Amino acid sequence: MLSIKNLHVSLEEEEKQILKGVDLEVEAGKVHAIMGPNGSGKSTLSYVLSGRDGYAVTDGSASLEGEDLLEMEPEERAAAGLFLAFQYPVEIPGVGNMTFLRTALNAQRKARGEDEMSAADFLKLVREKAKALKIDAEMLKRPVNVGFSGGEKKRNEILQMALLEPKMCVLDETDSGLDVDAMKLVAEGVNALRDAGRAFLVITHYQRLLDHIRPDVVHIMADGRIIKTGGPELALEVEENGYAGILGEVA
Amino acid sequence: MALAEKTGADPLEARLGPVADAGAWAKAARGEAAKRLRAMGLPGRRDEYWRFTNPADLNAAEAPEAAVFETGEAPTFDAIDRLKIVFVDGVFDAATSDDLALEGVEIERLSAAASRDIHWARELYGVLEARGQTPVARPFAALNSATATDGVLIRVTAAAPKPVALIYLHRDTRSDAVLHHVVRVEAGASLTLLESGPAAARINKVLEVDIADGGAFHHIRAQGRDHERRAMTSIFARLGEGSVYKSFTLTANGVLTRNEQVIELTGDNGVAHVAGAALGDGKSFHHDDTVFITHDAVGCESRQVFKKVLRNGATGVFQGKILVKKGAQKTDGYQISQSLLLDEDSQFLAKPELEIYADDVACSHGSTSGAIDEDALFYLRSRGVPEADAQDLLTLAFVAEAIQEIEDEAIAADILARLEGWLARRR
């Protein structure tokens, strides 16, 4: 599904190498987790995959189902099936959440050559998906993320994911700023989307999210590289010994 | 005077021309207005309130040529049930206008009323304009009162059953229109006035509105989209106790637009809201909102919300003042002017002013200039919305606060559709 090879990325504004050769293969139907200390390049990886400005790819490649992601505009990546759940979802005053969701859904359908969804069908679909995430009508009416609590913003990200039905979901520190109940709700939302045709890349600093979203594969990232890959037990090792132990072991 | 020396003719007298013949009251009002204009002179760039806007095209003896812009879209407010009054190049057109009969509303042409010796409008025509000349001179409004021969006089005695719509068509590339309307809303009565269309190659328009106690006046206008037209408009409103005045203006295109509003709250607990959205593309676009609101009574509320979207070297100007007179306690004054600059060549010049002589008031003002929020743009694109669509969505979101000032949902939807259309064509 997602194939990253020898990816080197530096900041555009300054001479700073962030990713120093990332190799990663995420297969359809699988959940991969990337863990790592602060500054290891986890979030940079998610931004580069989604096409955010400010990063320069100096070497390597990233493709989604064989299509070169790095050549595409952010909207093309979305239409191709990539979704990034933001660590800090953006507030957009003046744009209603419903308008936003419908515009996004129909834009992707249009890009894929499908018909736009009717207002009635869309409303039905949103209500159904929102209900599972305990998102009420009020939250749907308000401007995108404006005045939302941390938990509401993350639930809104998962709602977008549920509506857009991407093939490859990248979750960037989705657990940050969430209490246990909110985390469970978000994890349930993600687990409901787990499917043989869909893959997940869960980026997190802590092991706790992985108690709720069980990964198939865990990678440890440090200093711009993946330094260790293993099963779910690797996450537990981090929980018990911190990153210091693994970093020392690899060095 | 520099101009006069160069051309050898007095530009002011050239603009005034001979006084049109009329009945006693109109003749007197025109004479008084001419006297006012001669005392203040035509404006120049050194005048405090003309520093940001060059009045040359408005001062010129003849209107600069303006091509007529044809669009395929339905006219503004087309779907709104309204009484239509049509002016072609500034001249009333009976053939395309509706019968001027509406329950609770008396409508007359200025030209017909002016020929009479006595008329209710004599208490207002040029009178509200004259009141609005202090402390800031408004020469084009005086020029208008002195020379206007067409326009409508509207007296509202009840809640008008539907809006009155003034439709301004532009057919002649050289037309130089002067229109003067007077509206009197009697106590407890209410009217919605719609205005739309470019009117002429150049228009000088004055609207005087007097709202008696408990009356309400709603005003929504869409200034015509002809790219080369020039417009100088002035509204003078006087509000009685507990009355309401709400005005919204949409401006897209045009070379020069100067919209002045002078509002006087003279009765307690009056409410005056003015809002505007302007969209400009290109170096020749220059849009100026100049607002002066005077609080001269207790417990009044005033609100100014102006948004401008500027690109490709367009210029926006906002000069907004709130004057709170001594004794105008419990005044609630709010003013916001914002521009969205879509490139580095466009500019927004803002001069917010507060002058307060009462001690128990709440007044706030703010002015901002900014570009499209890059984070929001990326967020939308990451959800699959193409960049141009995302930019339009954020642009509409920016002007939404001004459009929300329109109370009537159908009219607001119509204005929104104009905006969307404008954006779509500007790709």
Side-chain angles (χ1 to χ4, degrees):
Chain A
M1 175 69 70
L2 178 68
S3 177
I4 300 171
K5 291 196 173 76
N6 192 32
L7 190 64
H8 284 70
V9 172
S10 63
L11 290 181
E12 250 171 22
E13 298 272 306
E14 48 184 305
E15 286 287 312
K16 194 179 175 195
Q17 195 78 23
I18 310 282
L19 300 184
K20 302 171 181 174
V22 174
D23 287 285
L24 184 66
E25 293 286 334
V26 183
E27 310 82 7
K30 300 288 188 201
V31 175
H32 284 229
I34 293 186
M35 302 184 71
N38 292 328
S40 58
K42 306 186 300 287
S43 285
T44 296
L45 178 63
S46 73
Y47 287 143
V48 170
L49 290 176
S50 61
R52 196 187 190 103
D53 281 346
Y55 301 96
V57 175
T58 52
D59 200 4
S61 66
S63 61
L64 182 67
E65 290 190 310
E67 286 187 76
D68 185 356
L69 274 178
L70 304 178
E71 283 297 306
M72 298 183 202
E73 295 295 335
E75 55 268 33
E76 293 170 334
R77 301 179 195 207
L82 182 78
F83 181 92
L84 170 65
F86 281 52
Q87 182 178 1
Y88 304 108
V90 180
E91 297 186 4
I92 314 182
V95 177
N97 209 12
M98 279 295 248
T99 306
F100 164 66
L101 295 168
R102 192 167 165 220
T103 304
L105 181 67
N106 281 332
Q108 292 202 15
R109 290 172 74 107
K110 202 174 153 195
R112 290 193 292 260
E114 299 163 16
D115 284 341
E116 293 196 353
M117 189 178 274
S118 75
D121 287 349
F122 174 76
L123 197 64
K124 202 174 146 210
L125 183 69
V126 170
R127 282 193 181 139
E128 177 200 316
K129 305 277 188 196
K131 198 177 166 197
L133 288 158
K134 298 205 167 105
I135 290 174
D136 58 20
E138 179 60 26
M139 255 177 82
L140 291 171
K141 249 189 270 167
R142 270 153 47 188
V144 180
N145 293 325
V146 176
F148 285 25
S149 70
E152 286 173 333
K153 284 181 180 170
K154 296 299 170 77
R155 265 147 61 203
N156 204 33
E157 293 291 290
I158 306 304
L159 172 64
Q160 292 163 43
M161 202 161 88
L163 280 170
L164 299 171
E165 300 185 317
K167 292 175 195 158
M168 181 69 228
C169 308
V170 180
L171 281 71
D172 186 11
E173 308 248 1
T174 293
D175 51 335
S176 70
L178 294 188
D179 60 29
V180 177
D181 290 335
M183 190 158 62
K184 275 186 186 163
L185 208 56
V186 164
E188 278 168 25
V190 171
N191 289 330
L193 287 166
R194 288 181 77 154
D195 179 279
R198 183 172 290 132
F200 290 84
L201 186 61
V202 181
I203 294 170
T204 181
H205 187 76
Y206 300 104
Q207 186 267 340
R208 58 175 199 168
L209 179 66
L210 304 179
D211 286 341
H212 304 284
I213 304 172
R214 304 290 299 170
D216 299 297
V217 183
V218 175
H219 308 274
I220 306 296
M221 193 166 186
D223 193 26
R225 282 186 198 91
I226 286 170
I227 57 163
K228 192 168 185 184
T229 296
E233 72 285 349
L234 195 52
L236 293 171
E237 199 184 317
V238 170
E239 180 73 3
E240 277 170 29
N241 306 327
Y243 289 109
I246 294 170
L247 295 179
E249 175 189 314
V250 171
Chain B
M1 288 319 258
L3 191 64
E5 281 157 25
K6 250 185 273 172
T7 60
D10 186 337
L12 190 149
E13 292 306 326
R15 295 292 273 120
L16 273 172
V19 176
D21 194 35
W25 75 271
K27 212 166 180 174
R30 285 172 182 156
E32 286 296 314
K35 212 185 284 176
R36 277 196 295 283
L37 179 64
R38 288 190 182 104
M40 64 184 91
L42 289 170
R45 290 307 292 272
R46 287 191 184 161
D47 288 315
E48 176 67 16
Y49 285 88
W50 288 93
R51 276 172 38 219
F52 299 147
T53 297
N54 187 348
D57 284 351
L58 301 170
N59 283 336
E62 286 185 11
E65 196 167 354
V68 176
F69 178 57
E70 300 285 350
T71 65
E73 68 180 344
T76 315
F77 308 133
D78 209 29
I80 312 283
D81 182 25
R82 69 224 201 269
L83 184 128
K84 287 182 279 191
I85 304 175
V86 180
F87 295 88
V88 179
D89 291 308
V91 179
F92 174 75
D93 188 58
T96 49
S97 296
D98 289 336
D99 182 14
L100 303 184
L102 190 63
E103 207 184 316
V105 184
E106 295 164 17
I107 305 170
E108 268 175 280
R109 277 185 76 183
L110 172 64
S111 57
S115 65
R116 292 212 231 122
D117 283 332
I118 197 152
H119 193 275
W120 61 265
R122 66 182 291 178
E123 306 295 327
L124 297 172
Y125 183 97
V127 174
L128 297 187
E129 172 257 297
R131 287 177 71 93
Q133 295 289 357
T134 11
V136 180
R138 304 176 193 282
F140 294 110
L143 173 66
N144 180 300
S145 295
T147 59
T149 53
D150 219 333
V152 283
L153 308 175
I154 302 175
R155 191 167 155 261
V156 191
T157 55
K162 61 181 177 184
V164 169
L166 305 177
I167 297 165
Y168 306 121
L169 304 179
H170 174 208
R171 299 260 167 78
D172 179 346
T173 58
R174 288 273 185 197
S175 57
D176 192 12
V178 181
L179 283 172
H180 195 121
H181 310 303
V182 178
V183 177
R184 161 79 181 171
V185 180
E186 299 292 352
S190 62
L191 175 75
T192 295
L193 184 73
L194 306 175
E195 292 186 282
S196 60
R202 178 171 74 178
I203 178 140
N204 177 346
K205 182 158 60 73
V206 164
L207 169 63
E208 291 172 296
V209 186
D210 191 36
I211 311 170
D213 297 351
F217 179 74
H218 290 254
H219 174 236
I220 301 99
R221 67 176 156 176
Q223 290 180 313
R225 289 218 317 276
D226 288 25
H227 293 275
E228 296 168 355
R229 59 132 190 90
R230 276 111 177 139
M232 170 70 226
T233 78
S234 316
I235 300 177
F236 298 90
R238 180 170 63 185
L239 280 74
E241 189 176 332
S243 67
V244 173
Y245 170 90
K246 291 187 179 179
S247 172
F248 173 89
T249 302
L250 171 69
T251 311
N253 303 349
V255 168
L256 172 65
T257 307
R258 163 100 161 195
N259 293 328
E260 295 196 11
Q261 296 211 38
V262 183
I263 298 160
E264 207 182 345
L265 291 145
T266 65
D268 294 350
N269 303 313
V271 172
H273 289 186
V274 285
L279 303 139
D281 191 336
K283 279 198 163 48
S284 64
F285 180 89
H286 185 104
H287 185 278
D288 176 334
D289 280 304
T290 294
V291 180
F292 196 116
I293 299 182
T294 303
H295 284 258
D296 196 12
V298 174
C300 293
E301 175 195 313
S302 74
R303 192 175 156 81
Q304 302 170 48
V305 179
F306 288 91
K307 302 267 187 167
K308 296 183 205 280
V309 178
L310 304 166
R311 66 184 181 199
N312 295 325
T315 299
V317 175
F318 174 76
Q319 307 183 101
K321 178 156 182 172
I322 305 173
L323 169 64
V324 181
K325 287 198 172 174
K326 201 174 168 216
Q329 304 293 11
K330 308 286 178 196
T331 285
D332 180 0
Y334 173 77
Q335 179 196 91
I336 183 88
S337 64
Q338 296 181 303
S339 73
L340 179 62
L341 303 175
L342 296 177
D343 53 59
E344 287 175 1
D345 297 332
S346 300
Q347 59 170 345
F348 179 54
L349 306 162
K351 193 169 83 170
E353 292 178 280
L354 288 179
E355 195 176 332
I356 301 172
Y357 297 100
D359 54 14
D360 183 15
V361 303
C363 282
S364 62
H365 66 90
S367 184
T368 65
S369 269
I372 285 268
D373 179 348
E374 289 296 331
D375 287 336
L377 191 66
F378 175 67
Y379 191 60
L380 286 164
R381 294 179 71 191
S382 79
R383 298 305 181 244
V385 183
E387 188 173 11
D389 293 344
Q391 188 155 324
D392 284 359
L393 197 60
L394 293 174
T395 302
L396 287 173
F398 169 77
V399 293
E401 192 189 350
I403 294 175
Q404 279 162 9
E405 297 290 319
I406 304 171
E407 280 184 16
D408 185 295
E409 283 182 19
I411 294 173
D414 199 288
I415 292 290
L416 191 63
R418 305 284 135 189
L419 276 169
E420 286 169 344
W422 188 87
L423 287 169
R425 274 187 304 277
R426 292 274 140 177
R427 287 285 177 80

